Structures are given as structure tokens and as C-alpha cells.
Amino acid sequence: MRTNLTKAKLSQGKVVFGAIVNEYSPGTVELFGALGFDFVFIDCEHGPMSVDQVENMVRAAEVFGITPIARIPNHDDSTILRFLDRGVQGIIVPHVNTRAQAEAVAKAARYYPEGHRGSAGGRPQDYGVGGNRDEAIRWVNSQTLVIPMCEEVEAVKNLDEILKAPGVDIVHVASGDLTQSMGNAPQAEVRRVMDGVIPRIKAAGKGVGIGGNNPSDIARIAQVIKLGANFITIGAQGLMRLGAEDFQKKIKAAL
């Protein structure tokens, strides 16, 4: 059974970076693993991938040493179970607005005694090969990242209670839906709210995730890291676009 390298780095006080992949592309996962990114954010909320395709994305991540984490489409126990049983080492759960929702998600993601996740062996437990069941369950529990998203005004209002939910490792703040929830507020106002949320999450001893990052805006990404964010997601397509644009600019200047 594999160590969650992203969780290990976070426990060492390091900042981790992940590429958001929103379509079925094991090769893209492998590329970002080869580039040294810490985790891949397999987007199954907005992306079209099936759980079978996710399993192949997980295999690609395992080969290239990058942590596979999936954003799932809803809070249902059955959804959480199906994704974790494919071998993802963390779940990002959208629109978690209350402590009760956060607690329910955390319990669904872990085996007894920390939760009530259904146990059927399989990939997460190396198909039962080697070790014993109790050791396997304890290990998988310890390596699973539970990451509710704070992306609505209601979640911001309830943040202090959400942060008390046992089993939550990271709270991920994303600007896209937060902007909508704030009535399509100006960017400066959304950033002010996010900047206020970051230290509150950090002070509670949780990891601080920040999404909606523009790979061209290095100053902003550096700013949120200085405020305490340590789980940074960036769109793979945006990163590839940036590289392509840089190439075009440089080749045109050289000719």
C-alpha cells in the first residue's frame, strides 16, 4: 500500500502543488508527475470521466509518483466509496457549507473506527495481499485526505464550525463559485474574503487549499502562500497554454 506523498509533505510543513485535469488523459497525469508536481486533481465534478477512467488515471499517477486526488460530483456516501475504491488517495468535495456536511463526508471516507466506509478490499488494500486487514484499514485511513471545499458565502459564515469537524485535513477555497455566491462580486472583493479565510483555516491546524489560480499571476499565488495557503491547484490546460504562448513568443523573437 502506497504512502500519500502529498500528505507527508504537508505534515513536514511544505507547500504542495497540483495540476487540475478535467478530461480523461493518463498521459497528462504522467507528464505532471514527471515534471515534479505533487498531486493531480482529477476533476469529476465538471469533467466527464467515469470511475473506470479515473482508475486508469490513478494507475498513471502511481507509475509517476504523483498523488491522485479526485474532485467528486456530490456528497453521497456511495460516490465517495466508489472513487476511493478506485485508489484515489484523497477526495475534494464541492459545496460543503456546514459542519454536519463536513463530518458526514469525513466519516464516509474512512473505515471504522474513524468512519463507516464500506470495506471490500481491492486496490486500496492491495487486494488483500500481504499484511492483515486491521493493519490495512489503519494504514488507508491514515493516508486518505479529506478536503471539503469552501466556495459559498454560507460556508464562509460557517467556517469556524466546519473547521471543528473531525477528519477534515484541508479546506479548499475556490474563487469561481465563491464569486457567484457573492453575486458576481468584483475580483478585489472576492480576494479580500479569501484572504480573510486563509489565516482562519491555518489557525485551526488544517491545510489551506486555494483554487482558481491563474498560472500567469505568480504574484497572487505567492501572496496566498505567504498568507498560509499550502495546497495550491492550477489548471493543467492553463499551464500548457502558458508554455505554448511562451514558446510562440520566443520563437518569433528569435526569427
PDB file of all heavy atoms in Angstrom, residues 59 94 97 117 173 201:
ATOM      1  N   ARG A  59      -3.741   4.828 -11.932  1.00  0.00           N
ATOM      2  CA  ARG A  59      -2.603   3.980 -12.290  1.00  0.00           C
ATOM      3  C   ARG A  59      -1.460   4.813 -12.880  1.00  0.00           C
ATOM      4  O   ARG A  59      -0.283   4.595 -12.572  1.00  0.00           O
ATOM      5  CB  ARG A  59      -3.036   2.911 -13.278  1.00  0.00           C
ATOM      6  CG  ARG A  59      -3.933   1.835 -12.691  1.00  0.00           C
ATOM      7  CD  ARG A  59      -4.144   0.683 -13.663  1.00  0.00           C
ATOM      8  NE  ARG A  59      -4.913  -0.378 -13.046  1.00  0.00           N
ATOM      9  CZ  ARG A  59      -6.197  -0.618 -13.299  1.00  0.00           C
ATOM     10  NH1 ARG A  59      -6.850   0.140 -14.172  1.00  0.00           N
ATOM     11  NH2 ARG A  59      -6.828  -1.602 -12.699  1.00  0.00           N
ATOM     12  N   PRO A  94     -17.126  19.287  -3.335  1.00  0.00           N
ATOM     13  CA  PRO A  94     -17.633  20.639  -3.576  1.00  0.00           C
ATOM     14  C   PRO A  94     -18.795  21.012  -2.658  1.00  0.00           C
ATOM     15  O   PRO A  94     -19.512  20.158  -2.152  1.00  0.00           O
ATOM     16  CB  PRO A  94     -18.087  20.584  -5.039  1.00  0.00           C
ATOM     17  CG  PRO A  94     -18.422  19.144  -5.273  1.00  0.00           C
ATOM     18  CD  PRO A  94     -17.466  18.362  -4.425  1.00  0.00           C
ATOM     19  N   ASN A  97     -21.044  23.241   3.108  1.00  0.00           N
ATOM     20  CA  ASN A  97     -21.424  24.516   3.714  1.00  0.00           C
ATOM     21  C   ASN A  97     -21.659  24.469   5.215  1.00  0.00           C
ATOM     22  O   ASN A  97     -21.844  25.519   5.840  1.00  0.00           O
ATOM     23  CB  ASN A  97     -22.689  25.052   3.037  1.00  0.00           C
ATOM     24  CG  ASN A  97     -22.449  25.427   1.587  1.00  0.00           C
ATOM     25  OD1 ASN A  97     -21.367  25.892   1.223  1.00  0.00           O
ATOM     26  ND2 ASN A  97     -23.453  25.210   0.744  1.00  0.00           N
ATOM     27  N   ARG A 117     -16.895   3.857   6.117  1.00  0.00           N
ATOM     28  CA  ARG A 117     -16.635   3.475   4.730  1.00  0.00           C
ATOM     29  C   ARG A 117     -16.764   1.960   4.569  1.00  0.00           C
ATOM     30  O   ARG A 117     -16.251   1.189   5.385  1.00  0.00           O
ATOM     31  CB  ARG A 117     -15.228   3.932   4.328  1.00  0.00           C
ATOM     32  CG  ARG A 117     -14.772   3.447   2.961  1.00  0.00           C
ATOM     33  CD  ARG A 117     -13.360   3.934   2.659  1.00  0.00           C
ATOM     34  NE  ARG A 117     -12.820   3.299   1.472  1.00  0.00           N
ATOM     35  CZ  ARG A 117     -11.599   3.492   0.994  1.00  0.00           C
ATOM     36  NH1 ARG A 117     -10.780   4.336   1.624  1.00  0.00           N
ATOM     37  NH2 ARG A 117     -11.178   2.864  -0.097  1.00  0.00           N
ATOM     38  N   VAL A 173     -10.426  26.535  -0.692  1.00  0.00           N
ATOM     39  CA  VAL A 173     -11.188  27.734  -1.015  1.00  0.00           C
ATOM     40  C   VAL A 173     -11.016  28.022  -2.502  1.00  0.00           C
ATOM     41  O   VAL A 173      -9.887  28.145  -2.983  1.00  0.00           O
ATOM     42  CB  VAL A 173     -10.700  28.942  -0.189  1.00  0.00           C
ATOM     43  CG1 VAL A 173     -11.613  30.136  -0.397  1.00  0.00           C
ATOM     44  CG2 VAL A 173     -10.587  28.581   1.285  1.00  0.00           C
ATOM     45  N   ILE A 201      -8.293  29.205   8.581  1.00  0.00           N
ATOM     46  CA  ILE A 201      -8.094  27.768   8.362  1.00  0.00           C
ATOM     47  C   ILE A 201      -6.751  27.328   8.936  1.00  0.00           C
ATOM     48  O   ILE A 201      -6.643  26.307   9.623  1.00  0.00           O
ATOM     49  CB  ILE A 201      -8.168  27.435   6.857  1.00  0.00           C
ATOM     50  CG1 ILE A 201      -9.536  27.823   6.283  1.00  0.00           C
ATOM     51  CG2 ILE A 201      -7.890  25.951   6.625  1.00  0.00           C
ATOM     52  CD1 ILE A 201      -9.616  27.717   4.763  1.00  0.00           C
TER      53      ILE A 201
END
